[in-house]
Amino acid sequence: MNKDILLVTLNSSYPHSSFGLRYLMANLEDLKDRAQIMEFTIQKDPRDIAEVLLRQKAKIIGVGVYIWNAQESLELVSLIKRISPDTLVVLGGPEVSHESESNKICQIADFTIKGEADFLFYEFCKNALDNGILPSTKFISGALPDIKKIKSPYGLYSDEDIQNRVIYVEVSRGCPYRCEYCLSSLDKAVRSFELTDFLADIQKLLDRGARQFKFIDRTFNLSPTTCTTILQFFLDRIELGLFLHFEMVPDRLPVEIRDLIKKFPAGALQFEIGIQTWNPEVARLVSRRNDYEKVKDNFRFLAEETGVHTHADLIAGLPGEDLESFAKGFDTLATLHPHEIQVGILKRLKGAPIARHDKEWEMVYSEHPPFQILRTKNMSFETLQVMNRFAKYWDLYANSGNFKNLVNVLREKSQTREDKSFFWEFFAFNKFLTQRYAQSFGISQISLFESAYVYLKEELGWPAEEAKTLIMEDYSLTGKTDVPKFLKEFGAKKSGFKEASSAIPKRQQRHLTGKPETVS
């Protein structure tokens, strides 16, 4: 049976589920039976998506627009309005909540709801379908919804979602910090859901078989009381084999939180920790507050006393930061041994206050999603292109966990340099890879291993047999038992990898096969 309302978005890939659409559905009140969630991925042709949607003959199509699907959503909405002008298209999401009037997709769509739409979308649909009343303005906004009255979306995760997709959850909305590159800097306050109700919902998901949870709270450890209550809840059920992802404030890890996380088995917790820059002046420019000594102490604690998998973020291209400053920050972070360092390139999110620096720091961004920085006063276009490739190759080699021995070799070799810089050591590897590949995407894993072998042998001067032995040790970490063609004369070695809890993703498991020794 066709529905009057379609809730639609294009996810970056299948494992990702749309948390926002489930909130809208949960709060549709008496219209829920007249609505349907339809999720696609950005890999699917917009014409094919439009065909599927228009076949439903819905009266209202709501589209969630994000930075990762902005271009594809524009194509989709353009098609829908050209083919079926009478179908009402309503947009929502962070990509259309700011600078909406100048946004092409907003100009094409019928209406745009700016900000949190939990209640506003229901009001729009109710008036349009039951009362025949449409808003007098193209852009709809209202007061923030009372968070205590928002209905829970967790029952809308299907059994298929629980088995195969990321289960997003949140216990709060908002952020008290004012980091100018982030849309959360616009939040007025942190608002929290009723904790007892939230944990009851999580228990229901656990009873249905959910074992991986990704908390999207911007500052999960802001309230030690809430944080420890949630951690204790999961610790009491840890025998289920859980994997829990949290975004943490870097310099806030009081003793009550430390005592709890030490009790979790290795790999059960993943902390995403946003450093962004180690340069205090750059941090001041973008209103980023960090007590760097506390940050270092927290990282040392996590590495030495816990089994937490750590994922740390740095941003290249911030106003006032040049390549040398970024390199120093990277090196500082690398000495603290997070399992992953995510090197991100600055993106201009619509509405983010960082735009105030555009003139002084000569910030030039791409006009197309994801709106990456192209050049700044301190980083040329050429430098940022190099950093784009550095970020990609770092992710493929270091963050993947597939090349632990190679990365440790580069780390150790960096200590023989006059500057003792791990960044510049990998920078040299990045230069080699750039010369070897025409592009940094679509490279097969086998080719990555062969390139590593060639680099060891030809650039670092390793004897062929030693290089092959090391590459085979890394190759075995992927779980493969075959021998790559370029190493045929060597037998595959079994990995020393020890299986962690079943819910822990393979990438995180590879990082937990042994902590690297600290290089002094």
Side-chain angles (χ1 to χ4, degrees), residues 453 456-458 460-470 490:
Y453 168 69
L456 286 171
K457 189 161 62 84
E458 298 183 3
L460 300 189
W462 276 45
E465 288 193 9
E466 291 182 20
K468 290 175 180 177
T469 298
L470 182 138
F490 282 76

Side-chain angles (χ1 to χ4, degrees), residues 41 75 223 329 450:
T41 68
E75 294 179 38
S223 165
E450 185 171 5

